[in-house]
Amino acid sequence: MIRHKYNGSLYAERRNCFMRKFKTESKKLLDLMINSIYTNKEIFLRELISNASDAVDKLYFKSLTDTSMGISKNDLEIDVDFDKESRTITISDTGIGMTKDELETNLGTIAHSGSLEFKTDNADAQGEDLDIIGQFGVGFYSSFMVSKRVMVISRAYGSDETWVWESDGIEGYTITEASEEQAAGIHGNHGTTIVLFLKDNTEDEEYDIFLDQYELQALIKQYSNYVRYPIRMEIETRKPLPKPEDAGDDYTPEFETVHEIQTINSMIPIWKRRKSEVTEEEYNNFYKTDFHDFSDPISTISVHAEGALSYDALLFIPSRTPYDFYSKDYEKGLALYSSNVLIQEKCSELLPDYYNFVRGVVDSQDLTLNISRETLQHNSQLRAIANKVEKKITSELGKMRDNDRETYEKFFENFGRNLKYGIYSSYGMKKDTLADLLLYYSAKNKKMVTLKEYVENMTEDQKSIFYAAGESVDRLAHRPIVTTILNKGFDVLLCPQDVDEFCLMSMSEYEEKQFKNVAGGDLGLETEDEKNAAEAITKENENLFNAMKDALDGKVKRVAVSTRLSDTPSCVTAEGPITLEMEKVLAAGPDGEQVKSDRILELNPQHPVFKALQKAFEEKDDDKVKSYARVLYDQALITEGLPIDDPVAYTQAVYKFMV
């Protein structure tokens, strides 16, 4: 790479003699290009490198159809250089170059795209060897976001003439024959060199940041790392000098400054390679480097789709939740590339919310980009890719569940909540996609099971899927109601997460089996004889139950005989759409909704405590009946993990029974 300094004095002279003014409409459009279309000034480098890549592609494509040209792919490159003294950035390519007329057409006519024209003319011959991405002819003008003047020096392939296009992006432009010094800036016998004369720094904007090798390197790697031609740059490094033979133990290492030409970009995207050609270590290193994780991913998904909409995708499922996963700063999305050029760092439209933990890349040359290449013009293309990506993730998670259960359970521990929220937030519409990916803890088998596995193990006389919702698996497993159902030979799914019950109720049923909360209404477990006996006992003790209800002062809808208890004197259940767990979850939310369920205090008529209640009522000991009612109710709430209204009153009542 040969550095050239470009003087600005000639432009002032030529401007007066040869200025070709932009038309009024073009001036307005140019102002729009510079100030409105692009949201990020650093995009200029991506655009100019993309244009350079297009120019190289055109020459390479031409060499494939005309072998007499003798062009080798090794001769094709893009160079980036900067000069702090003259405050210039230079982007050069060894591409097809432009004639004087082409400079006039492509740069003098705003929004004319030579790349689009080339793609159209060669549409039938395009393949892997042609990867033109320019479509609108406006990317070049992004250079005026950072430049007060732009010089384009170009020599078309096969021509002896070199021409210079210059403009300040305000009034117009000049096209003149290049001087010997300017022509020397063309690498070889063809290509284009663009020189940006940076704007002066202001209080609000600092343009000197682009005159730094580390900043330019970072921008190349961020946006153009996978452009398939080498992007070369002169890098200043410090290397240690050899240690003198007579140096003592107190020798201090000395360094020299070295300038080296280095290739900055990787060129070959890992996602374009077949999975069989890439090692697991290469995938892991790419993931950890590009997505800033110190742990290997738990799964890698490689997709190569061809057809009406072709794309490549490389997806990763992290092995742990990101540190900011539950913060407002976390952004979902996949990196979106078009023909190896980064379009969006995080394209949220490519992932549904319930798969927001997936990291990765999608690359498609079929996307219709909008004028700034920062978003897409036709979202239908993006939706089509997103649908296929979603199906692929679902399929791979299913394979992991079936073939590597231990790994899947680890995944579900980290991200299972997302899948449940996906069903709940879609009002159950996504249950066909996500239901079979859910895992719940089986009280009977003491392990995580899928809903399908639960149903397969149901007894013939079991009509519903039973679940218990609460704070922890251990506490749920010891609930009296859960024990009772287990004793009847049925299994209970233990649901310790706040979203669990909302998720199950959104699904309503699975394989025609309804979900039933064991702390809810009628579970359908009792026989007709048991039901008739309970009704008889309730009628017989109607006055006692009314007295207990009055003692609880509106806290319960009614007091009734329970058919679901065996060793415990009482329990609290709920009727209607609001369950006890829902009440607790809603009360703990940011809005603190005070939604109350219709509570039922159920009593075990076989327990000695029930006999004591009957005796106190028969003896007309109203104080004891009230005290018994309140203690039984509070104990039932504690068992369910619900708060009691007055802990002090409860403990005093217990103390009273002890003396």
Side-chain angles (χ1 to χ4, degrees):
M1 182 186 295
I2 303 174
R3 276 192 171 165
H4 294 270
K5 292 185 181 291
Y6 296 93
N7 194 299
S9 59
L10 288 175
Y11 177 62
E13 298 175 10
R14 292 169 175 166
R15 176 175 174 170
N16 295 327
C17 301
F18 307 108
M19 171 69 72
R20 307 181 188 199
K21 291 191 175 184
F22 293 123
K23 294 180 181 179
T24 303
E25 295 80 1
S26 294
K27 287 175 64 176
K28 291 179 180 178
L29 182 58
L30 181 57
D31 182 68
L32 180 66
M33 301 294 159
I34 298 171
N35 299 309
S36 302
I37 288 180
Y38 295 96
T39 58
N40 197 338
K41 283 184 169 57
E42 65 189 27
I43 290 295
F44 81 91
L45 190 60
R46 179 194 74 178
E47 294 298 302
L48 295 181
I49 289 176
S50 296
N51 288 346
S53 176
D54 287 351
V56 176
D57 255 328
K58 292 175 187 176
L59 182 66
Y60 184 59
F61 179 76
K62 188 173 183 178
S63 72
L64 294 178
T65 57
D66 183 359
T67 55
S68 65
M69 293 173 61
I71 298 291
S72 168
K73 201 166 186 178
N74 295 330
D75 301 328
L76 306 176
E77 64 180 49
I78 300 166
D79 294 323
V80 177
D81 193 13
F82 68 97
D83 188 313
K84 289 186 177 181
E85 184 180 340
S86 60
R87 301 187 76 252
T88 59
I89 298 174
T90 304
I91 298 96
S92 303
D93 66 68
T94 56
I96 199 164
M98 288 178 280
T99 64
K100 179 181 180 182
D101 290 341
E102 287 170 337
L103 282 170
E104 173 75 45
T105 302
N106 294 336
L107 303 185
T109 306
I110 298 173
H112 176 88
S113 173
S115 294
L116 179 60
E117 193 174 277
F118 187 85
K119 287 179 73 173
T120 303
D121 292 344
N122 297 278
D124 296 335
Q126 288 191 57
E128 292 186 359
D129 294 315
L130 183 62
D131 207 10
I132 305 293
I133 70 170
Q135 298 181 56
F136 295 98
V138 300
F140 166 77
Y141 298 97
S142 65
S143 56
F144 287 106
M145 291 192 298
V146 298
S147 308
K148 59 186 177 184
R149 182 162 63 89
V150 176
M151 176 193 299
V152 180
I153 308 168
S154 193
R155 180 188 302 156
Y157 178 82
S159 173
D160 295 328
E161 297 178 339
T162 305
W163 295 92
V164 179
W165 182 98
E166 286 185 83
S167 176
D168 57 7
I170 300 174
E171 295 296 331
Y173 59 94
T174 64
I175 298 179
T176 57
E177 194 166 358
S179 65
E180 290 186 11
E181 179 189 6
Q182 291 169 330
I186 297 296
H187 293 200
N189 297 317
H190 51 83
T192 299
T193 294
I194 299 176
V195 185
L196 310 181
F197 296 83
L198 295 189
K199 293 180 179 179
D200 297 327
N201 296 325
T202 66
E203 291 184 3
D204 299 325
E205 300 286 352
E206 183 181 355
Y207 296 94
D208 283 352
I209 59 172
F210 300 117
L211 297 172
D212 178 83
Q213 73 174 30
Y214 300 107
E215 178 70 15
L216 292 176
Q217 278 181 282
L219 292 178
I220 292 169
K221 284 185 173 294
Q222 180 179 359
Y223 292 107
S224 309
N225 197 33
Y226 304 108
V227 167
R228 59 177 174 171
Y229 302 103
I231 303 173
R232 296 162 61 80
M233 185 173 165
E234 185 177 290
I235 301 299
E236 180 181 288
T237 58
R238 286 173 56 78
K239 290 190 174 182
L241 292 169
K243 182 179 179 180
E245 295 181 0
D246 58 349
D249 295 336
D250 59 347
Y251 171 74
T252 301
E254 296 181 354
F255 294 82
E256 64 175 339
T257 299
V258 178
H259 291 85
E260 297 177 329
I261 303 297
Q262 296 182 8
T263 298
I264 308 301
N265 60 325
S266 299
M267 287 182 282
I268 302 176
I270 192 171
W271 57 82
K272 294 255 180 161
R273 297 157 62 186
R274 297 291 171 181
K275 196 164 186 176
S276 58
E277 301 171 352
V278 186
T279 66
E280 183 179 357
E281 183 180 5
E282 287 177 306
Y283 277 138
N284 291 345
N285 288 338
F286 172 77
Y287 167 75
K288 288 186 287 190
T289 300
D290 276 44
F291 299 101
H292 312 294
D293 196 349
F294 57 80
S295 301
D296 292 337
I298 204 169
S299 179
T300 300
I301 305 169
S302 179
V303 184
H304 304 282
E306 296 180 355
L309 187 61
S310 300
Y311 67 94
D312 297 291
L314 184 59
L315 312 173
F316 300 95
I317 298 175
S319 59
R320 61 184 185 86
T321 53
Y323 73 93
D324 61 344
F325 191 59
Y326 294 108
S327 74
K328 63 179 181 180
D329 297 325
Y330 182 81
E331 293 181 66
K332 72 166 184 173
L334 303 176
L336 179 63
Y337 284 76
S338 180
S339 300
N340 303 350
V341 175
L342 180 65
I343 304 303
Q344 290 184 28
E345 193 167 0
K346 287 190 177 180
C347 182
S348 60
E349 291 93 334
L350 285 170
L351 286 176
D353 286 344
Y354 45 86
Y355 287 155
N356 67 348
F357 50 83
V358 176
R359 308 286 188 86
V361 172
V362 169
D363 189 346
S364 175
Q365 63 182 14
D366 293 336
L367 295 174
T368 305
L369 304 178
N370 79 342
I371 200 168
S372 68
R373 288 191 215 171
E374 292 177 347
T375 54
L376 300 177
Q377 192 170 18
H378 297 302
N379 286 331
S380 60
Q381 297 168 316
L382 201 62
R383 284 195 297 270
I385 294 177
N387 288 335
K388 292 179 181 179
V389 166
E390 178 185 356
K391 290 178 181 178
K392 185 64 176 179
I393 295 170
T394 304
S395 172
E396 291 299 316
L397 289 176
K399 291 177 184 177
M400 188 195 304
R401 174 202 61 210
D402 297 337
N403 303 323
D404 189 354
R405 190 57 167 264
E406 183 178 352
T407 300
Y408 186 76
E409 289 187 13
K410 181 181 177 183
F411 152 77
F412 196 81
E413 182 180 352
N414 287 323
F415 303 110
R417 181 186 293 268
N418 282 57
L419 309 186
K420 297 171 186 176
Y421 268 115
I423 294 175
Y424 168 58
S425 63
S426 67
Y427 302 98
M429 289 188 292
K430 284 295 180 179
K431 68 178 183 179
D432 291 340
T433 300
L434 301 174
D436 285 327
L437 297 177
L438 301 181
L439 293 180
Y440 288 101
Y441 190 84
S442 163
K444 185 176 183 179
N445 299 301
K446 294 181 171 53
K447 65 177 183 179
M448 302 295 285
V449 299
T450 65
L451 295 176
K452 188 176 186 64
E453 290 165 345
Y454 180 97
V455 171
E456 288 174 348
N457 292 320
M458 287 172 61
T459 59
E460 290 185 7
D461 57 337
Q462 184 178 347
K463 306 301 181 184
S464 305
I465 300 173
F466 299 117
Y467 70 91
E471 293 180 357
S472 71
V473 166
D474 289 340
R475 292 190 64 171
L476 290 170
H478 290 92
R479 278 191 184 176
I481 300 176
V482 172
T483 303
T484 299
I485 294 177
L486 290 176
N487 290 338
K488 289 180 178 288
F490 304 138
D491 195 4
V492 181
L493 299 177
L494 306 183
C495 307
Q497 292 186 332
D498 53 7
V499 70
D500 281 329
E501 188 165 22
F502 293 92
C503 170
L504 296 177
M505 290 193 70
S506 296
M507 282 194 285
S508 177
E509 63 180 25
Y510 177 82
E511 293 191 0
E512 300 182 352
K513 305 290 184 182
Q514 284 194 332
F515 293 101
K516 284 197 174 181
N517 188 329
V518 296
D522 183 12
L523 299 180
L525 296 176
E526 67 275 9
T527 64
E528 282 299 317
D529 290 343
E530 290 173 334
K531 187 181 293 185
N532 292 333
E535 289 176 358
I537 296 172
T538 299
K539 187 174 182 179
E540 181 183 335
N541 293 276
E542 184 177 357
N543 292 332
L544 168 61
F545 292 166
N546 286 335
M548 294 180 70
K549 177 185 175 184
D550 292 341
L552 293 173
D553 194 22
K555 294 178 181 177
V556 297
K557 184 177 181 180
R558 70 174 187 274
V559 180
V561 170
S562 177
T563 58
R564 68 184 91 202
L565 295 176
S566 54
D567 301 325
T568 308
S570 65
C571 70
V572 174
T573 60
E575 284 185 341
I578 305 299
T579 67
L580 297 172
E581 185 63 22
M582 282 185 175
E583 178 186 319
K584 185 169 60 176
V585 171
L586 292 172
D591 298 329
E593 291 185 60
Q594 297 301 314
V595 179
K596 291 292 183 181
S597 59
D598 291 331
R599 297 182 179 185
I600 312 298
L601 177 61
E602 295 189 10
L603 302 177
N604 181 359
Q606 307 303 321
H607 198 279
V609 168
F610 188 74
K611 307 299 181 185
L613 269 169
Q614 288 178 314
K615 182 180 178 182
F617 183 73
E618 290 170 359
E619 294 176 351
K620 299 186 186 308
D621 191 342
D622 295 341
D623 289 339
K624 185 173 284 190
V625 170
K626 289 180 181 179
S627 184
Y628 281 172
R630 291 167 182 170
V631 169
L632 286 171
Y633 176 70
D634 284 346
Q635 286 179 335
L637 290 178
I638 292 171
T639 302
E640 291 295 328
L642 294 167
I644 58 179
D645 294 337
D646 192 343
V648 174
Y650 168 74
T651 54
Q652 288 176 346
V654 172
Y655 294 154
K656 188 176 180 180
F657 293 140
M658 297 174 67
V659 297

